[in-house]
Amino acid sequence: MSTLRDLARRRSLRLGVVVASVAIVASACLPPPAPGDNSNPLPAPSWWSGSCDSGNYVGAHPLGASFRGVEVCGPRPGADGAANRLVRFFPGAWGELEWQCVELSMRFMYVAYGVSPYGANGKDVVDNYTTASGGGLVRIGNGTGVAPAAGDVISFGATGSSPLGHTGVVESANVDGSGDGTLRILSQNDTTDGWRTISVGNWWVDGTSGGLGVVGGWLHKP
């Protein structure tokens, strides 16, 4: 009986090793999540009623672009001539205008990092951030050997057609070891689908090639 038990035990152990090995191989074959995908979604804004706050803003709707469930919304106040609507993320918060570009960046930073909204035009979102707003973000300068990452918030400087500049949220980065490639960003009150692709060359994010302003830097969560 003892011999039979030993044989059964050894077979059980061998079977366990085989199952574990198969599990390891199977997990190794699964592709990693795509950069900038919508896994690990963030909570919906507590102040919203319906998708893109359509219950409070008549005609509001998603434009298509999103990152971690944070949607780019319309209608666009600029191109579509839509009215602005002031919202406060919480009582006493700095007010934001739906669906301006700044509202998107502030909404993302609030639900993703706990950053309280603060006064800024698009060109100022990065420079006006302080640790007092929370979130523990750091500013990374353009051209300093680091590429933006998914979840970073970027500002574009003033242009002749847009003196207040622009801001967006990095959804994904495809930049090689030489600092060359592209970024894809969420861009509100801008394109019809809410996406923008920005060129990066020698670690320099080139906003001007896409008709936006010069990039001074971006905010990153360490």
Side-chain angles (χ1 to χ4, degrees), residues 90-102:
F90 56 86
W94 181 272
E96 298 297 339
L97 297 175
E98 298 176 324
W99 300 112
Q100 296 284 355
C101 62
V102 176

Side-chain angles (χ1 to χ4, degrees), residues 8-24:
R9 187 178 297 112
R10 284 196 291 271
R11 286 172 182 165
S12 178
L13 288 172
R14 284 198 297 271
L15 180 60
V17 170
V18 170
V19 170
S21 299
V22 170
I24 291 170

Side-chain angles (χ1 to χ4, degrees), residues 63-198:
L63 295 184
S66 68
F67 172 56
R68 295 186 62 190
V70 175
E71 296 177 314
V72 178
C73 298
R76 298 168 296 169
D80 300 331
N84 286 309
R85 177 178 179 271
L86 183 71
V87 295
R88 299 187 191 277
F89 298 176
F90 56 86
W94 181 272
E96 298 297 339
L97 297 175
E98 298 176 324
W99 300 112
Q100 296 284 355
C101 62
V102 176
E103 184 275 337
L104 171 67
S105 290
M106 293 294 178
R107 172 163 39 100
F108 178 80
M109 289 193 290
Y110 182 71
V111 298
Y113 309 129
V115 176
S116 296
Y118 52 89
N121 292 311
K123 63 185 177 60
D124 308 313
V125 168
V126 171
D127 288 340
N128 286 9
Y129 170 80
T130 67
T131 55
S133 294
L137 307 185
V138 296
R139 184 186 185 279
I140 297 178
N142 198 6
T144 54
V146 179
D152 289 354
V153 170
I154 191 168
S155 280
F156 301 87
T159 67
S161 60
S162 181
L164 302 182
H166 191 61
T167 182
V169 178
V170 178
E171 181 262 358
S172 58
N174 183 18
V175 179
D176 63 22
S178 298
D180 301 322
T182 58
L183 307 176
R184 189 163 77 152
I185 70 168
L186 305 185
S187 188
Q188 193 164 264
N189 194 26
D190 183 22
T191 60
T192 56
D193 61 0
W195 291 115
R196 274 268 192 178
T197 299
I198 308 296

